[in-house]
Amino acid sequence: MSSPRRLLLPFCDDSTLIFAVRLRNLLRVAAPEADVTLGCYMSEQALSLRQLQMQLPEADYLILSDEMLIESVQQGYYDAVLTSRVFRSLTDFLRTPVLKHLRGRARVIGFLGGLDFFPDRSYANRIPCDGVFMFPRGEVEKFSAWATKQVENDSNLTAPLVDFGHPTFLEPSPTPPADLETRRDIYFFAQAISPLTRRGRLHVLEAMVALAEANPDRTIWIKLRHLPDENTSHLHREKHDYQGLIEAAFKSVPPNLRLTACPMHEALEQAALGITCTSTAAIDLIREGVPTMVYLDYVDAYMDPMSAAMRRIFEGSNVITSLDDLLHLRHGTPDPDWVKQMFCPHDLGQRVLDMVETLQSRSASASSG
Amino acid sequence: MLLARLKATRLGKWLYRQSRHPRLGVPLRWVMAQGIHERLDLAHWRAANRRHNARQAATLAAFRARDTGQPRS
């Protein structure tokens, strides 16, 4: 019998931390004996104390400098590093032939960061990895074919193992939440850089004010991804925060329009309806069986490359909603075929462990051969 | 995008450096906070884009006016 797997899950900001926590939960179910360690990668650290306390109340993580991360991989302190962001130091390591070929090093498995708006970039960032998890389902074949072509032209590359899934994209439960009928709150899930322009964000705010005025018996929450002083060094830095826009551009807002930076699971447990423009929150909402609207027709949407990309990803989903439908609270039901393509089975933790096993045995047989 | 192109030029990089200056950068930061630079993009002048923005604004105005018969401020 093989010894328990030692797995390192690095994180540096709210997106990578949420990924790491969710994957750790799946791994703990699939292999309770596995040694799963979260590591805060300091070179790109962009988390506030509040965010850390909210996601990791037990503070059970270690600190990773560039050198420590690379040493961990090189010396094989872990069987695998599982990451949703392939950090530059990891890429450099894996692109160095004598290091990539090294016996006993940790295998690196890359996941997508979330909704993949720009696949070319994601493909290029993940090809040095030993294994890759992609979605939607069709991307597995597309990425594999692309990787095979790259390998033909570059003798320093090897084609990664490829599988389907992401811990945020788990198949929705077939039944909606038991208390959905009694819920009243509507949540708008904000995203840092989309809508891109100040005018576009003001338009969305005006729509939320209109919803609040038309539904005085409901609370309309603007769910902030982070507080204005947080994520200032995040990959996606917010230029026009909603709180600041309300203060600057509105004399007053209805009392039932409120802002919150509560944890995602709290919002999902209370939402009767969730609205977003380009946030991965749309996926969280569908997964949890909460009625979902993706609104992409905001003012200045043509300025925002994420609007077109989100429309491509959600094409056929039946949740893209016009402004008129949004204001009248008319939402669609997610298309089952689209859901099947986008969401993966709940055995993801086991499949990750299987991939680690395959990569380790492949490495062992190569070094003994 | 005009802004993306500007950012890649020497002028754009110089403007960005100036905007970080504690005193001299104040007007530049104000312009950015107001989104004034965003309105300079040529994309706003395309007929299809103007129609798109007008349609969204009209839909919102019509919804807000439906109870009172008057657009709200």
Side-chain angles (χ1 to χ4, degrees):
Chain A
M1 194 174 150
S2 59
S3 55
R5 287 291 173 214
R6 300 156 303 152
L7 305 165
L8 176 64
L9 281 62
F11 64 88
C12 63
D13 59 17
D14 54 352
S15 325
T16 50
L17 177 55
I18 291 166
F19 163 85
V21 170
R22 285 178 172 168
L23 184 56
R24 180 175 66 175
N25 293 344
L26 290 174
L27 292 166
R28 280 178 171 170
V29 172
E33 74 288 356
D35 178 8
V36 185
T37 305
L38 265 56
C40 182
Y41 180 59
M42 293 304 284
S43 301
E44 296 185 27
Q45 205 288 112
L47 285 154
S48 71
L49 183 60
R50 185 192 72 91
Q51 288 169 318
L52 283 163
Q53 285 170 335
M54 194 163 70
Q55 295 293 338
L56 291 172
E58 291 172 26
D60 47 346
Y61 57 92
L62 53 81
I63 298 295
L64 291 171
S65 62
D66 255 336
E67 294 73 22
M68 288 166 75
L69 175 62
I70 294 309
E71 192 187 341
S72 301
V73 178
Q74 188 171 327
Q75 301 298 332
Y77 296 155
Y78 298 92
D79 296 310
V81 175
L82 312 173
T83 183
S84 62
R85 188 170 305 163
V86 188
F87 302 112
R88 173 59 67 88
S89 53
L90 273 178
T91 307
D92 290 345
F93 178 95
L94 293 167
R95 283 194 180 277
T96 307
V98 290
L99 297 173
K100 174 124 186 181
H101 188 57
L102 194 64
R103 181 173 57 184
R105 70 166 171 85
R107 307 290 119 177
V108 178
I109 298 178
F111 290 73
L112 291 177
L115 289 171
D116 194 12
F117 293 106
F118 308 108
D120 291 353
R121 211 181 295 167
S122 315
Y123 280 21
N125 287 340
R126 281 157 188 81
I127 187 140
C129 295
D130 302 293
V132 175
F133 276 80
M134 304 293 286
F135 65 85
R137 204 177 284 270
E139 283 296 300
V140 172
E141 203 173 310
K142 267 168 79 179
F143 177 76
S144 302
W146 178 85
T148 306
K149 265 194 181 165
Q150 301 300 308
V151 171
E152 283 168 7
N153 299 324
D154 186 343
S155 57
N156 285 327
L157 286 176
T158 52
L161 292 182
V162 191
D163 203 342
F164 168 53
H166 188 285
T168 296
F169 292 64
L170 298 178
E171 281 172 351
S173 156
T175 51
D179 65 341
L180 187 62
E181 289 296 315
T182 59
R183 296 185 191 181
R184 302 296 298 158
D185 292 1
I186 297 172
Y187 280 76
F188 170 71
F189 293 86
Q191 208 268 3
I193 55 169
S194 182
L196 185 65
T197 66
R198 185 176 195 268
R199 212 162 56 163
R201 292 169 93 80
L202 282 173
H203 166 78
V204 166
L205 271 180
E206 281 164 13
M208 293 307 124
V209 167
L211 267 187
E213 285 172 349
N215 299 279
D217 56 332
R218 293 174 179 263
T219 303
I220 315 295
W221 294 95
I222 296 175
K223 160 78 174 79
L224 305 173
R225 174 72 178 272
H226 54 80
L227 296 174
D229 69 328
E230 292 174 338
N231 285 22
T232 51
S233 54
H234 192 277
L235 196 64
H236 296 157
R237 197 164 62 86
E238 190 167 45
K239 272 194 292 186
H240 306 295
D241 69 275
Y242 285 106
Q243 197 169 327
L245 285 176
I246 288 176
E247 286 162 13
F250 292 80
K251 281 183 198 151
S252 65
V253 292
N256 60 327
L257 177 69
R258 301 173 69 178
L259 291 103
T260 176
C262 71
M264 190 67 181
H265 67 87
E266 262 183 49
L268 293 170
E269 281 165 12
Q270 287 165 19
L273 169 70
I275 304 168
T276 189
C277 293
T278 66
S279 169
T280 307
I283 294 296
D284 291 296
L285 287 160
I286 295 170
R287 190 193 60 237
E288 297 303 320
V290 179
T292 306
M293 292 180 176
V294 171
Y295 175 53
L296 297 172
D297 291 331
Y298 43 86
V299 164
D300 289 355
Y302 51 85
M303 295 280 287
D304 187 350
M306 290 175 79
S307 168
M310 187 80 169
R311 197 178 290 282
R312 172 178 54 78
I313 294 167
F314 278 77
E315 188 183 5
S317 67
N318 203 34
V319 297
I320 296 179
T321 307
S322 70
L323 180 58
D324 196 49
D325 284 345
L326 182 152
L327 293 169
H328 290 94
L329 303 181
R330 294 188 292 257
H331 63 84
T333 307
D335 179 80
D337 289 338
W338 180 86
V339 168
K340 210 172 170 185
Q341 284 294 313
M342 190 61 75
F343 292 84
C344 71
H346 285 248
D347 66 349
L348 178 63
Q350 186 54 54
R351 285 187 294 117
V352 171
L353 292 165
D354 291 346
M355 186 183 274
V356 173
E357 188 73 43
T358 307
L359 289 168
Q360 284 291 340
S361 54
R362 186 191 273 187
S363 152
S365 61
S367 40
S368 66
Chain B
M1 301 287 168
L2 193 67
L3 190 63
R5 284 198 296 273
L6 176 65
K7 274 182 181 169
T9 64
R10 279 189 185 175
L11 173 66
K13 289 186 174 113
W14 179 81
L15 282 170
Y16 179 71
R17 273 200 307 278
Q18 298 310 307
S19 76
R20 315 270 284 188
H21 192 282
R23 274 187 301 118
L24 298 177
V26 169
L28 272 172
R29 285 199 295 274
W30 183 84
V31 165
M32 287 175 76
Q34 297 305 307
I36 292 168
H37 61 295
E38 294 165 352
R39 291 184 222 160
L40 300 176
D41 203 294
L42 292 176
H44 295 309
W45 292 95
R46 292 209 184 101
N49 294 342
R50 291 169 73 92
R51 272 199 305 275
H52 167 84
N53 281 355
R55 201 163 43 238
Q56 300 312 310
T59 303
L60 189 52
F63 179 77
R64 299 189 78 181
R66 79 201 186 293
D67 292 334
T68 61
Q70 294 290 318
R72 295 179 206 179
S73 57

